[in-house]
Amino acid sequence: KNQVEQSPQSLIILEGKNCTLQCNYTVSPFSNLRWYKQDTGRGPVSLTIMTFSENTKSNGRYTATLDADTKQSSLHITASQLSDSASYICVVSAGSGTASKLTFGTGTRLQVTL
Amino acid sequence: DAGVIQSPRHEVTEMGQEVTLRCKPISGHDYLFWYRQTMMRGLELLIYFNNNVPIDDSGMPEDRFSAKMPNASFSTLKIQPSEPRDSAVYFCASRKQVIGELFFGEGSRLTVL
């Protein structure tokens, strides 16, 4: 059964600090992995997408890594801001074409405080 | 483009009542998805359409749930009769290609009393 597990479930950090969120998956056959940011009361918005051959991808202060061998991904946030407070969801795509299926993690809830 | 548009944003109803959630996908997107999000289970796929045709409805919890897509710019998710355990946020999402980026609406928060 395809599964995506994220850790920690929740995290509180001070503004300006860095943090790393983890995503472990057992999805086959792997197609790609996405990180989404979901603000409270809003829909998820894509941050990055990574395919099998990509190890690192950055989007501003967000850097995602992928280790396809260990089936792990991380999302690193540098110099956190209050606006980074949100849930971060890891989504792994399995298969290709019309058989492509998405498996969602339950997310990490990040709170950035003063 | 205005993005994926959902209505209503909030719905409070009593058990047994019919609920209809609406979605307008991004113009030109061929795929439309309905998801349900709860704290315990996260985002779960209910059903998705390709070119207005339902492709996979295996996530629809039971016969009380139904979804339609009469044309490329409109879809509905209906719950009849509603139950308290249906309380959740329901998201509609669309994408242009089979493996393209998924764009979500702002969600419809349903509370069934």
Side-chain angles (χ1 to χ4, degrees):
Chain A
K1 181 182 177 183
N2 290 338
Q3 286 188 317
V4 175
E5 294 185 354
Q6 294 186 241
S7 62
Q9 278 192 324
S10 61
L11 183 63
I12 301 174
I13 62 173
L14 293 175
E15 186 182 28
K17 297 297 186 183
N18 304 335
C19 68
T20 300
L21 314 180
Q22 300 291 344
C23 173
N24 296 339
Y25 61 91
T26 53
V27 172
S28 181
F30 176 86
S31 177
N32 59 66
L33 183 148
R34 290 180 169 91
W35 282 94
Y36 282 84
K37 179 187 179 187
Q38 184 176 19
D39 292 319
T40 301
R42 309 292 297 274
V45 176
S46 179
L47 290 174
T48 65
I49 176 172
M50 302 184 73
T51 58
F52 185 87
S53 59
E54 296 176 301
N55 299 120
T56 304
K57 183 169 280 189
S58 292
N59 177 0
R61 295 179 296 103
Y62 300 100
T63 299
T65 65
L66 175 65
D67 186 333
D69 291 331
T70 61
K71 298 186 177 181
Q72 295 179 326
S73 176
S74 65
L75 181 68
H76 185 75
I77 304 176
T78 303
S80 61
Q81 300 176 357
L82 295 178
S83 59
D84 294 330
S85 296
S87 288
Y88 292 83
I89 302 171
C90 176
V91 185
V92 183
S93 178
S96 61
T98 56
S100 174
K101 285 186 177 288
L102 300 180
T103 303
F104 290 79
T106 54
T108 292
R109 186 178 298 275
L110 173 66
Q111 183 177 349
V112 181
T113 65
L114 293 171
Chain B
D1 200 314
V4 177
I5 299 174
Q6 292 187 246
S7 65
R9 289 297 312 276
H10 302 274
E11 174 95 5
V12 180
T13 189
E14 292 187 344
M15 182 174 63
Q17 296 297 305
E18 178 179 293
V19 173
T20 299
L21 308 179
R22 299 172 178 79
C23 174
K24 181 182 187 307
I26 294 174
S27 178
H29 282 194
D30 296 330
Y31 291 84
L32 182 140
F33 302 77
W34 282 101
Y35 289 93
R36 177 171 66 179
Q37 186 178 42
T38 60
M39 288 291 291
M40 289 298 295
R41 300 170 69 93
L43 279 159
E44 300 174 288
L45 176 65
L46 299 176
I47 185 171
Y48 82 91
F49 296 83
N50 175 212
N51 291 324
N52 315 338
V53 177
I55 302 300
D56 184 355
D57 65 354
S58 59
M60 296 286 261
E62 48 198 274
D63 293 344
R64 297 184 297 107
F65 286 68
S66 62
K68 294 182 180 180
M69 192 166 185
N71 57 62
S73 60
F74 183 66
S75 177
T76 60
L77 177 68
K78 186 173 293 186
I79 308 172
Q80 166 64 17
S82 59
E83 296 182 3
R85 60 192 168 120
D86 301 331
S87 297
V89 181
Y90 291 82
F91 285 99
C92 177
S94 71
R95 68 184 184 198
K96 186 173 180 61
Q97 299 168 339
V98 65
I99 57 171
E101 182 177 340
L102 200 56
F103 292 86
F104 286 84
E106 299 288 48
S108 293
R109 179 176 294 277
L110 172 65
T111 302
V112 183
L113 303 174

